[in-house]
Amino acid sequence: MNAEEKSDSPLKQKLRNIIFGTETPEGKRFDIILMICIVLSVVLIFIDTIEHINEQYGQLISIAEWSFTVLFTVEYILRLYCSLNRLHYARSFFGVVDLVSILPSYLGLIFPGANVALALRVLRLFRVFRVLKLLRYLSDGHLLLKAMVQSSRKVFMFFFSVSLIIMVLSVIMYVVEGPNNGFTSIPKSMYWTVVTITTVGYGDITPQTPLGQGIAALTMLIGYSIIAIPTGILTAEISHEMVRTRDLRKCSNCGKKGHDNDADYCNHCGSELEKL
């Protein structure tokens, strides 16, 4: 316990153990109750968008939403009160999410319709990573994010090339089919090309001429041939990142490198590795 913690009142220390103490029994109970409240609040926001439910139970849902808003407001104030570093908490990811989850209700009193942003409260579900002790798995997400950043240039060039293909095909289809067949403008033709090349095929616009149908068939084949390219680029980068993040410790017995970061024994000969 540091000097700042010792100078705190017993009430403040107890609140800190409950609100921030994920390992204490009181903290675990608090986290579970909080997660239940967050889930119920998000469910209420979702079902409130269903028209017939809103007409019948809109007032009750509004009361419940305000109850959760008041509860989360008190929780946010208590977190600020008992936090060792209030500015650090307020500027942290969870601190910003906690604030954003309650602001729309109060802004809705001044600006009608602002409370629609209450749906952002779903971000509070990220606390499940702390409650269920899943933070250790976030390293996998970091690896994926790093791979996406590393492959961004290749993916950009891919999408730029596809965009050029889409523009060319759009102009061709506009000239071949024309307004009489639904291709009323080049942007409308671009919409059709994107829908076709991604193999979605809504069917609201279809080519009627034999030449247009032939171009449509070619567009579909192009779509199938390029749809897997971004996946391949990302997969290759993930593979490279996994190799880069391998442990560079050298086995004293066989000399092999490239072990898993948490490995205690060589995966080639089974000898014990030097501790990090």
Side-chain angles (χ1 to χ4, degrees):
M1 185 180 291
N2 56 38
E4 188 176 352
E5 287 180 294
K6 290 180 180 178
S7 63
D8 289 339
S9 64
L11 174 62
K12 197 171 184 180
Q13 291 180 19
K14 186 175 182 180
L15 284 173
R16 186 183 301 118
N17 289 334
I18 293 173
I19 296 175
F20 292 101
T22 56
E23 297 297 331
T24 63
E26 297 85 356
K28 290 178 181 178
R29 283 195 291 269
F30 175 81
D31 285 337
I32 291 171
I33 293 171
L34 178 62
M35 287 305 303
I36 291 172
C37 290
I38 292 171
V39 171
L40 289 175
S41 173
V42 171
V43 169
L44 282 175
I45 293 168
F46 284 5
I47 65 174
D48 190 38
T49 60
I50 302 174
E51 187 175 352
H52 70 273
I53 292 179
N54 179 268
E55 290 175 355
Q56 295 182 31
Y57 306 105
Q59 189 172 359
L60 289 174
I61 291 175
S62 179
I63 293 171
E65 284 178 355
W66 269 107
S67 300
F68 283 121
T69 297
V70 172
L71 178 66
F72 293 147
T73 302
V74 172
E75 179 219 346
Y76 180 74
I77 293 171
L78 288 176
R79 284 184 183 274
L80 285 175
Y81 168 71
C82 66
S83 177
L84 287 174
N85 190 328
R86 291 172 185 151
L87 184 61
H88 180 268
Y89 163 70
R91 295 172 61 181
S92 67
F93 172 77
F94 286 112
V96 172
V97 168
D98 291 344
L99 180 61
V100 168
S101 69
I102 59 177
L103 276 181
S105 294
Y106 299 109
L107 291 176
L109 298 174
I110 305 171
F111 307 103
N115 57 350
V116 174
L118 271 176
L120 293 173
R121 193 170 285 174
V122 72
L123 292 174
R124 297 206 73 193
L125 291 175
F126 276 107
R127 284 193 180 276
V128 74
F129 285 102
R130 282 189 172 180
V131 176
L132 299 181
K133 306 293 183 296
L134 299 177
L135 287 174
R136 60 184 179 274
Y137 297 119
L138 291 183
S139 59
D140 296 332
H142 178 70
L143 186 146
L144 178 60
L145 180 61
K146 197 171 179 181
M148 291 173 67
V149 172
Q150 292 292 336
S151 61
S152 59
R153 289 175 58 186
K154 296 175 185 176
V155 173
F156 171 77
M157 288 305 301
F158 166 76
F159 280 111
F160 180 74
S161 302
V162 172
S163 298
L164 292 178
I165 294 172
I166 288 172
M167 284 188 279
V168 171
L169 289 172
S170 300
V171 173
I172 293 173
M173 288 301 291
Y174 175 71
V175 173
V176 171
E177 292 293 323
N180 293 332
N181 293 324
F183 294 80
T184 54
S185 63
I186 292 179
K188 192 78 171 180
S189 298
M190 288 182 69
Y191 160 77
W192 173 87
T193 307
V194 171
V195 168
T196 305
I197 212 167
T198 54
T199 70
V200 176
Y202 291 126
D204 51 345
I205 305 175
T206 55
Q208 302 299 319
T209 64
L211 180 57
Q213 291 170 352
I215 297 171
L218 177 63
T219 305
M220 294 173 201
L221 291 174
I222 291 173
Y224 276 113
S225 63
I226 67 175
I227 200 167
I229 292 177
T231 306
I233 294 172
L234 184 58
T235 302
E237 285 298 332
I238 290 174
S239 178
H240 291 159
E241 282 300 320
M242 290 177 70
V243 171
R244 290 191 197 107
T245 56
R246 287 277 181 171
D247 193 347
L248 295 179
R249 284 178 296 172
K250 186 176 181 179
C251 176
S252 58
N253 182 44
C254 67
K256 182 176 173 59
K257 294 181 180 180
H259 307 93
D260 292 333
N261 290 325
D262 58 350
D264 294 323
Y265 299 92
C266 176
N267 58 11
H268 182 68
C269 69
S271 299
E272 187 173 2
L273 296 172
E274 181 184 349
K275 301 295 182 183
L276 288 172

